[in-house]
């Protein structure tokens, strides 16, 4: 075990109250001081709510969740509001592919620091009319969205599931609608009264280690129905970061893009801003990027558009084989990456092979998102995660460096992350990770030496490369993820209770259904209402 982590951890701050934050909160609340778990499972491996009583001897006496938005749920708490897009002045800067430029750290007033302002006695300032900086808080979920993961795995083990609850006659089973996901997540939070541990409208703008070994958080709260902002600092023994990484859009830098948007406002969007497809009716639409987002939106736009052009890296294998097939399917005009945009020459697009398409009405960037931790970016001493570690590689396919098992800061394991691992089993992986953190922080287990943590990282880099694959565990490798984390869990906690290995074939079924729906929708062989 590394020396600095041997301080007893009694208070924990959780940054973000999406799926990852809520799952972590429940796990930590149910870990006991003696390193055992308070969570009960029945012999068939189901979470046993009746026997999970109040935790009489909690390991962590104080746990506070901080949530920037006015409600919990993260991505799955959409309000289908005015979507986010990059402002003209930011496009004009030609730095719109830099996450630190798009989302700089929020600056607290200098008079806040070291004056003893607290949650109950904060520094109060007037709130400016336009919030600064832009927080990118809107969700990318749209009305028509259904899941790309089977229902069984779109939940942590604390959310009940029964075989017959899937609507077998639904066109989309085992997939589910956006609403079902939101509903089950919020039900979980309600059942276990998680909200009382969470401060909403509260952005963690900075965290730093202070001399006595605590983490000092700087918090900006914009209370509901108030024109004032409350600023304060609060100390915690440990910080769990679960801020998500699908909120700040990645737009590749392309010559002419800024001029194009200036001239034809609303003709360019990122998949995050997609809401309705009416505006694409009879239009020439250019899709850039054909990952899950690109293909998902394309299936709605294709039937109404005049023409659909697809710009993607030639011969690229998408994350699922069916996506690659869909991206090159009949009726689509296939192009390589864009070289240049010339809005003044009849909306001309020049591709990297020299070919040209004119009269393009809409450009839809489905080019992914940035990983970004603005609250960690400022000279946080000893943090390799962000300072030297977060390597922004080409495009959005970054990796986060400096974390042992995608989870514990190697420099200081009282800082841990949930949600860095990339897998279609997101919810189970959040739970497994949170459980490992609970185990280590409750001293039920200890991490190997820094040296062996570092060598584990170099080993994985050698095997997977320094890109997104470093964090990637598809269903067929999920056992490896379990093996990495299971010996850190609280005593009595089992990885097998968290990840159901018996139904992994549901993922194949899910991909088949997603593929079938793609062609049915694209070819107008199904009504949209039938996907509900
Ligand atoms: C269009 C779309 C479709 C998707 N579909 C699926 C799907 O079908 N299946 C699936 O498994 N996954 C899907 N996902 C992935 C989805 O992101 C995960 O399911 C899950 O929501 C991730 O949870 P999270 O808690 O990590 O992040 P989020 O849901 O993003 O939650 C993070 C929270 O942290 C808050 N926060 C951020 N910074 C701060 C701060 N400084 N202070 C306080 N709070 C902060 C944010 O406001 C947010 O509420 C989809 C994502 C997108 C964008
Ligand atoms: N429930 C659903 O159905 C649903 C729908 C949408 C999204 N999601 C989720 O949202 C998450 C994000 O998915 P995403 O598709 O938005 O992002 P993504 O997986 O990061 O995909 C981005 C794509 O853009 C491409 N790209 C980047 N720069 C490009 C350029 N200059 N020209 C052409 N292509 C470029 C990338 O390919 P290169 O390798 O060539 O760069 C990549 O294929 C996923 O986890 C997914 O599960 C789910
Ligand atoms: C953690 O557990 C180890 C034994 O495994 C013990 O030596 C150590 O004192 C414990 N630390 C704390 C802070 O309780
Ligand atoms: C998505 O959720 C919204 C409400 O939250 C709902 O109006 C919409 O019908 C849902 N979409 C689907 C496909 O269920
Ligand atoms: C560190 O000091 C702050 C006050 O400056 C206090 O709130 C916090 O509890 C202290 N932490 C420890 C571990 O003593
Ligand atoms: C906040 O304002 C809205 C209308 O602006 C009102 O309906 C609501 O009751 C107010 N809530 C509180 C807590 O004051």
């Amino acid at each position: 075990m590394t020396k600095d982590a041997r301080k007893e951890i009694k208070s924990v701050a959780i940054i973000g109250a999406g799926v990852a934050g809520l799952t972590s909160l429940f796990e930590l609340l149910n870990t006991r001081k003696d390193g055992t778990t308070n969570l009960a499972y029945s012999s068939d491996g189901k979470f046993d709510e009746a026997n999970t009583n109040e935790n009489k001897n909690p390991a962590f006496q104080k746990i506070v969740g901080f949530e920037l938005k006015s409600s919990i749920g993260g991505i799955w708490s959409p309000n289908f509001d005015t979507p986010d897009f990059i402002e003209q002045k930011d496009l004009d800067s030609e730095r719109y592919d830099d996450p630190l430029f798009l989302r700089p750290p929020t600056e607290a007033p200098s008079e806040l620091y070291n004056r003893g302002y607290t949650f109950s006695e904060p520094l109060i300032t007037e709130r400016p009319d336009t919030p600064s900086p832009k927080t990118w808080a809107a969700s990318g979920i749209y009305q028509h969205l259904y899941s790309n993961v089977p229902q069984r795995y779109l939940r942590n083990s604390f959310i009940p599931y029964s075989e017959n609850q899937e609507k077998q006659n639904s066109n989309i089973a085992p997939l589910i609608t956006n609403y079902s996901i939101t509903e089950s997540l919020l039900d979980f939070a309600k059942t276990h009264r998680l909200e009382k541990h969470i401060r909403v409208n509260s952005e963690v703008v900075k965290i730093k280690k202070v001399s006595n070994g605590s983490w000092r958080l700087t918090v900006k709260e914009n209370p509901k129905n108030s024109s004032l902002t409350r600023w304060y600092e609060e100390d915690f023994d440990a910080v769990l970061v679960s801020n998500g990484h699908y909120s700040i859009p990645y737009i590749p830098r392309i010559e002419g893009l800024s001029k194009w948007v200036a001239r034809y406002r609303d003709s360019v969007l990122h998949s995050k801003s997609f809401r309705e497809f009416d505006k694409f009716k009879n239009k020439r639409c250019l899709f850039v990027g054909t990952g899950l987002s690109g293909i998902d939106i394309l299936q709605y736009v294709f039937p109404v558009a005049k023409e659909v052009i697809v710009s993607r890296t030639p011969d690229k294998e998408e994350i699922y084989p069916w996506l690659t097939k869909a991206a090159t399917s009949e009726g689509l005009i296939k192009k390589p990456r864009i070289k240049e945009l010339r809005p003044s020459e009849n909306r001309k697009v020049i591709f990297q092979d020299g070919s040209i398409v004119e009269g393009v009405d809409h450009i839809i960037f489905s080019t992914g998102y940035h990983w970004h931790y603005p609250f960690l970016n400022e000279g946080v001493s000893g943090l390799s995660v962000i300072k030297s570690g977060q390597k922004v590689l080409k495009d959005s396919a970054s990796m986060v460096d400096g974390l042992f098992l995608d989870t514990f800061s190697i420099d200081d394991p009282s800082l841990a992350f949930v949600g860095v691992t990339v897998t279609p089993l997101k919810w189970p992986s959040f739970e497994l990770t949170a459980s490992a953190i609970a185990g280590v922080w409750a001293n039920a287990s200890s991490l190997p030496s820094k040296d062996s943590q570092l060598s584990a990282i170099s080993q994985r880099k050698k095997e997977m490369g320094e890109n997104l694959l470093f964090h990637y565990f598809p269903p067929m490798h999920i056992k490896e993820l379990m093996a990495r984390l299971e010996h850190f869990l609280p005593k009595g906690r089992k990885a097998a209770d968290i990840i159901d290995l018996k139904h992994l074939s549901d993922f194949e079924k899910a991909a088949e259904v997603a593929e079938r729906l793609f062609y049915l929708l694209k070819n107008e062989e199904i009504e949209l209402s039938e996907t509900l």
Side-chain angles (χ1 to χ4, degrees):
M1 187 70 217
T2 40
K3 56 170 180 12
D4 36 4
R6 286 303 81 208
K7 197 170 67 103
E8 199 185 344
I9 292 175
K10 292 191 222 113
S11 57
V12 179
I14 298 178
I15 304 180
V19 178
L22 292 170
T23 303
S24 303
L25 173 61
F26 190 63
E27 183 77 41
L28 293 179
L29 284 171
N30 281 291
T31 304
R32 299 195 192 109
K33 213 180 171 75
D34 61 1
T36 61
T37 185
N38 188 53
L39 298 166
Y41 286 79
S42 59
S43 55
D44 62 357
K46 282 211 177 92
F47 176 59
D48 185 351
E49 204 175 305
N51 283 310
T52 299
N53 300 314
E54 190 197 336
N55 186 357
K56 294 255 168 51
N57 200 5
F60 314 108
Q61 277 126 49
K62 173 180 166 186
I63 307 174
V64 180
F66 294 91
E67 173 49 58
L68 167 68
K69 300 203 233 193
S70 57
S71 57
I72 62 169
I75 295 271
W76 299 112
S77 174
N79 44 14
F80 309 106
D81 54 1
T82 327
D84 282 335
F85 193 63
I86 300 173
E87 285 167 37
Q88 188 65 48
K89 67 172 175 28
D90 293 339
L91 290 168
D92 291 344
S93 75
E94 296 296 334
R95 288 180 60 197
Y96 51 83
D97 58 344
D98 175 359
L100 255 185
F101 177 75
L102 287 182
R103 201 328 182 185
T106 302
E107 297 284 347
S110 57
E111 66 265 33
L112 172 70
Y113 294 109
N114 307 317
R115 303 277 173 83
Y117 288 110
T118 61
F119 174 57
S120 48
E121 290 185 37
L123 169 68
I124 295 177
T125 60
E126 286 290 332
R127 207 187 297 182
D129 292 337
T130 34
S132 157
K134 186 173 171 57
T135 58
W136 300 99
S139 167
I141 301 298
Y142 37 89
Q143 299 276 350
H144 296 296
L145 188 121
Y146 49 86
S147 72
N148 57 357
V149 169
Q151 177 169 25
R152 188 190 300 278
Y153 291 96
L154 263 176
R155 33 182 286 284
N156 55 38
S157 73
F158 321 126
I159 295 179
Y161 173 81
S162 71
E163 299 290 334
N164 44 17
Q165 117 193 30
E166 271 179 24
K167 283 194 244 154
Q168 297 305 342
N169 57 353
S170 144
N171 267 318
I172 66 169
L175 307 179
I176 52 176
T177 64
N178 86 64
Y179 183 69
S180 316
I181 302 174
T182 300
E183 199 179 28
S184 78
L185 180 64
L186 297 185
D187 263 5
F188 155 64
K190 201 171 162 200
T191 304
H192 301 288
R193 295 193 295 276
L194 296 183
E195 235 167 322
K196 68 178 182 204
H197 305 277
I198 297 164
R199 299 183 196 158
V200 293
N201 297 312
S202 299
E203 176 192 350
V204 174
V205 304
K206 186 168 163 178
I207 73 171
K208 67 171 186 181
K209 201 82 194 230
V210 290
S211 53
N212 66 3
S214 295
W215 287 102
R216 182 158 299 165
L217 272 61
T218 305
V219 184
K220 175 187 186 182
E221 185 193 349
N222 284 333
K224 200 176 156 210
N225 287 6
S226 165
S227 60
L228 304 173
T229 296
R230 304 169 83 250
W231 302 87
Y232 60 92
E233 296 184 285
E234 192 160 332
D235 289 359
F236 292 87
D237 298 326
V239 179
L240 187 151
V241 178
S242 49
N243 65 331
H245 51 86
Y246 297 125
S247 68
I248 305 170
Y250 165 68
I251 304 272
R253 201 148 84 214
I254 297 176
E255 193 181 337
L257 176 63
S258 155
K259 284 205 199 93
W260 185 296
V261 179
R263 202 171 167 125
Y264 302 109
R265 199 172 295 281
D266 297 331
S267 71
V268 175
L269 92 173
H270 183 272
S271 60
K272 181 177 182 182
S273 321
F274 174 78
R275 292 293 183 270
E276 276 303 335
F277 44 84
D278 292 347
K279 70 175 190 181
F280 304 106
K281 211 166 184 167
N282 297 321
K283 302 289 184 195
R284 180 167 288 147
C285 300
L286 168 59
F287 278 78
V288 185
T290 49
L292 276 157
S293 293
I295 292 302
D296 199 56
I297 297 172
L298 193 150
Q299 71 193 355
Y300 302 112
V301 171
F302 184 85
V304 301
K306 177 169 74 186
E307 196 168 272
V308 173
I309 305 145
V310 166
S311 163
R312 58 192 301 274
T313 311
D315 302 323
K316 188 197 171 196
E317 295 294 336
E318 302 294 346
I319 199 155
Y320 300 113
W322 79 264
L323 291 174
T324 314
K325 273 205 267 166
T328 52
S329 61
E330 216 185 306
L332 306 176
I333 298 170
K334 291 124 212 160
K335 292 288 172 192
R337 287 185 166 210
I338 299 173
K339 180 157 172 273
E340 194 189 332
L341 300 173
R342 295 209 186 143
S344 56
E345 297 175 26
N346 187 25
R347 299 175 176 236
K348 182 190 281 182
V349 180
I350 306 173
F351 296 93
Q352 282 184 346
D353 60 357
S355 65
I356 288 174
V357 175
E358 290 189 30
V360 170
D361 297 304
H362 289 283
I363 307 179
I364 299 136
F365 285 99
S366 303
T367 38
Y369 297 85
H370 293 285
W371 302 68
H372 192 38
Y373 305 96
F375 47 88
L376 277 175
N377 264 327
E378 266 172 87
V380 177
S381 60
L383 260 183
S384 66
V385 192
I386 299 314
K387 266 184 76 187
S388 57
Q390 196 205 4
K391 294 202 177 73
V392 178
L393 302 174
K394 73 173 174 78
D395 308 338
S396 55
S398 323
M399 71 165 273
V400 182
D401 206 358
L403 297 181
F404 178 55
L405 306 180
D406 299 339
T407 304
F408 298 96
S409 159
I410 295 191
D411 278 357
D412 186 337
S414 63
L415 176 66
F417 292 69
V418 175
V420 174
T421 294
V422 177
T423 171
L425 287 86
K426 285 189 181 70
W427 304 52
S429 94
F430 295 162
E431 185 180 338
L432 185 66
T433 308
S435 187
I437 294 170
V440 170
W441 285 356
N443 202 25
S445 57
S446 53
L447 296 173
S449 70
K450 242 182 218 192
D451 280 347
S452 37
Q453 295 183 31
L454 288 167
S455 72
I457 289 191
S458 343
Q459 182 62 28
R460 185 144 174 102
K461 280 181 182 167
K462 261 189 230 138
E463 287 162 14
M464 309 306 291
E466 292 182 53
N467 55 51
L468 200 67
L469 290 180
F470 181 89
H471 302 301
Y472 184 51
F473 289 86
M476 63 186 154
H477 290 299
I478 211 67
K479 274 189 182 162
E480 284 169 41
L481 185 71
M482 290 165 83
R484 281 171 22 134
L485 290 162
E486 65 192 353
H487 34 274
F488 299 112
L489 311 193
K491 291 172 199 145
R493 196 81 167 96
K494 292 199 216 75
D497 287 335
I498 299 174
I499 300 192
D500 174 358
L501 290 172
K502 292 195 291 287
H503 297 91
L504 291 174
S505 61
D506 280 15
F507 282 94
E508 287 152 42
K509 238 183 282 168
E512 278 164 28
V513 171
E515 178 171 27
R516 183 168 53 78
L517 285 168
F518 172 82
Y519 291 103
L520 288 173
L521 286 163
K522 180 177 169 235
N523 301 330
E524 286 184 285
E525 288 162 14
I526 188 175
E527 289 285 320
L528 269 179
S529 56
E530 292 177 55
T531 62
L532 293 181

